[in-house]
Every structure is written in C-alpha cells, then in structure tokens.
Amino acid sequence: MNKINQLFSQRQDRKLLSLYFCAGAPTLNGTADVIRTLERRGIDMIEVGIPFSDPMADGPVIQDAATTALKNGMTLQTLFDQLKAIKDEVRIPLVLMGYLNPIMQMGIERFCQQCVESGVSGMIIPDLPFKDYMDEVKPVADRYDLRVIMLITPETSEERIRFIDDHTDGFIYMVSSAAITGAQKSFDEQKQEYFRRINAMHLRNPRMIGFGISNKQTLESAQANAAGAIIGSKFVTLLSEEGSADGALDRLFKALSE
C-alpha cells in the first residue's frame, strides 16, 4: 500500500502533522539530516520542496529558501540522489512539492520512476492544470503507484472540489486562504466558514489544512477541521535561523503550544 494511504488508514482519529522544507536550504547536503530528524521526532509526513526560480504560490520565506537552495547548487537530480541514499531508512511518507517546469524538463515518466527509486510516495504540483493532470500525469503516476495531491482554496467551486475528490487519491491539500504561503496569527470567521463548508461536503478523501499555521490557535483550528495540519513557512524560517532541524523543531513545538 502507498505510504500516504497507509498513514491515513492507520491514524485512528489521531491528528496528523506534516512539515514542509525546501531541499538544499539552508545547506545543500542537509536534506537527509532534516528528514531523519523530523521522522525521529514524530512528524507524520514530510513535504520536500523542489526549489524553483519562480515559485508563484509561495510567500517571501519560501521564495528566499528556494533562492538559497538554487545558489547552493540544488537540482532535482541532486535531490533524488540524496533521497535514494536514505530510502531504506525512511518509513514515513515523503511528498515532493514543486512546480511543473523542472518536472516536465525531466519528463513525467522519468520523474515518476525516480520518485519510486527514491522512496517518494506522492507529489504536489501547484501549477499543474487539472486537464493536464488527467490526460498526461495521472496515467503515469497511477502506473507507479504515486499520489498526485491537489489543492483547493476558498475560491474553489463545489463542483470542482467534488471532481478533484473523485479523481485523486491520498489526501486533498486544503489551502486555508487564497493568498500566498506565510504564517498567520489566527484564522478569521471567513476562513472558519470555509472550513465548515468543506466539512459539510463529506468528501471521500481525507484533508490536510496548510498555509498560515504557526501557533496553537491556527494549529488547533486546522486539526479540528481536517485530518491534520501542514506547516511550511514557520518551520522554514526556524530552520534557516537555527541551522539544524532539532533546534528548529524545539522552537516550533514551543510556538505551537503557546
């Protein structure tokens, strides 16, 4: 069974926590250490960012991390090589998050093959048009038992959400707002209403809520309205400041308890 499906089938109502970091930042060769540390300290799933020069959905924190990673020499092939070296050690799901351009330059067939060889369970491609997903990406990903995770936002129509739910597997990435990524202090009533609206749809796929989660209030709100939460910008900031995943996690867990 794909590790993503296995995670959600075994969680037994326990709320999950997934963290995002950008491969190659703050150091080129730190990817393996970050992954090992996150797994050791109880993180349920890891999103590994593929750095790209024009990350349109990302705020300044993740943009800066991508710039650092590219300057450090991180490439998609380098990332795969680093992941292959630790494939047999990692038990939790790894999801690659990146934009379409570098993936298509490699070729979707080769990309999926490398994902399997590297222990990757799925991918999130924010700028992948749904028609291209259905026609070109999904058939290949299905052949390699990889999950392509789709995002929904407060502006996504109910018809589109149900279509996504019917044609994807693993989980749905529920973006907390239509804005770019970045930490928020709280989720306002408008976002709470969005959460309630999606809850009332009783979707087939589990959902994870991301974008803006950085403290106890936003974490608890996300976990109350989904299978779990995804934290990106807050962890990326702390990782950059601390230089070590352990130090970043110490500060993150403190922030999430206050």
Side-chain angles (χ1 to χ4, degrees):
M1 179 187 290
N2 182 283
K3 286 182 181 179
I4 296 172
N5 299 91
Q6 189 174 33
L7 173 65
F8 286 98
S9 68
Q10 294 177 350
R11 70 184 183 91
Q12 298 178 334
D13 293 328
R14 179 176 66 84
K15 296 302 182 178
L16 304 176
L17 181 60
S18 176
L19 295 190
Y20 166 96
F21 76 99
C22 182
T27 64
L28 176 62
N29 297 314
T31 305
D33 181 64
V34 174
I35 291 171
R36 289 191 193 102
T37 303
L38 297 189
E39 179 169 22
R40 172 172 53 81
R41 299 201 48 185
I43 301 305
D44 297 295
M45 180 166 55
I46 301 172
E47 291 178 19
V48 183
I50 303 168
F52 182 53
S53 57
D54 187 23
M56 65 186 74
D58 295 313
V61 169
I62 294 178
Q63 286 185 19
D64 287 349
T67 298
T68 296
L70 292 171
K71 286 180 178 177
N72 287 343
M74 178 56 72
T75 66
L76 182 53
Q77 187 59 58
T78 299
L79 172 57
F80 278 131
D81 292 342
Q82 292 177 349
L83 295 178
K84 286 173 188 175
I86 59 169
K87 176 184 177 182
D88 294 336
E89 302 175 42
V90 182
R91 292 178 174 80
I92 63 175
L94 299 180
V95 178
L96 293 188
M97 186 166 187
Y99 292 87
L100 191 57
N101 185 286
I103 295 170
M104 295 311 290
Q105 284 188 358
M106 176 172 281
I108 188 63
E109 181 87 31
R110 178 66 177 151
F111 176 78
C112 289
Q113 182 182 13
Q114 293 253 41
C115 282
V116 172
E117 293 173 358
S118 306
V120 170
S121 298
M123 65 199 80
I124 301 169
I125 310 173
D127 58 341
L128 173 64
F130 203 83
K131 185 179 187 304
D132 291 349
Y133 159 70
M134 291 293 293
D135 294 347
E136 299 176 29
V137 177
K138 186 178 188 300
V140 182
D142 285 350
R143 217 167 51 240
Y144 287 92
D145 194 32
L146 294 167
R147 303 294 173 258
V148 182
I149 308 304
M150 288 288 171
L151 290 79
I152 64 172
T153 76
E155 279 67 44
T156 309
S157 69
E158 179 172 338
E159 179 184 19
R160 174 113 174 151
I161 292 170
R162 293 203 181 280
F163 193 75
I164 289 172
D165 192 41
D166 288 342
H167 293 89
T168 62
D169 190 16
F171 69 95
I172 290 174
Y173 192 131
M174 189 172 165
V175 177
S176 66
S177 72
I180 57 175
T181 57
Q184 300 175 32
K185 292 183 178 179
S186 64
F187 290 144
D188 59 23
E189 177 56 30
Q190 187 176 17
K191 292 184 179 67
Q192 298 290 343
E193 174 55 32
Y194 161 55
F195 297 160
R196 290 191 290 268
R197 176 168 60 87
I198 302 303
N199 283 335
M201 292 179 67
H202 302 292
L203 299 176
R204 177 180 61 86
N205 279 297
R207 289 163 287 116
M208 295 285 284
I209 295 178
F211 284 47
I213 298 167
S214 63
N215 57 21
K216 185 177 181 180
Q217 195 276 347
T218 48
L219 176 67
E220 290 182 347
S221 179
Q223 290 183 330
N225 288 282
I230 299 167
I231 298 177
S233 295
K234 181 70 172 180
F235 180 68
V236 170
T237 296
L238 296 174
L239 185 60
S240 175
E241 292 174 355
E242 291 292 323
S244 77
D246 266 316
L249 279 175
D250 287 341
R251 290 178 59 190
L252 178 64
F253 290 150
K254 185 173 187 295
L256 297 177
S257 67
E258 296 175 341

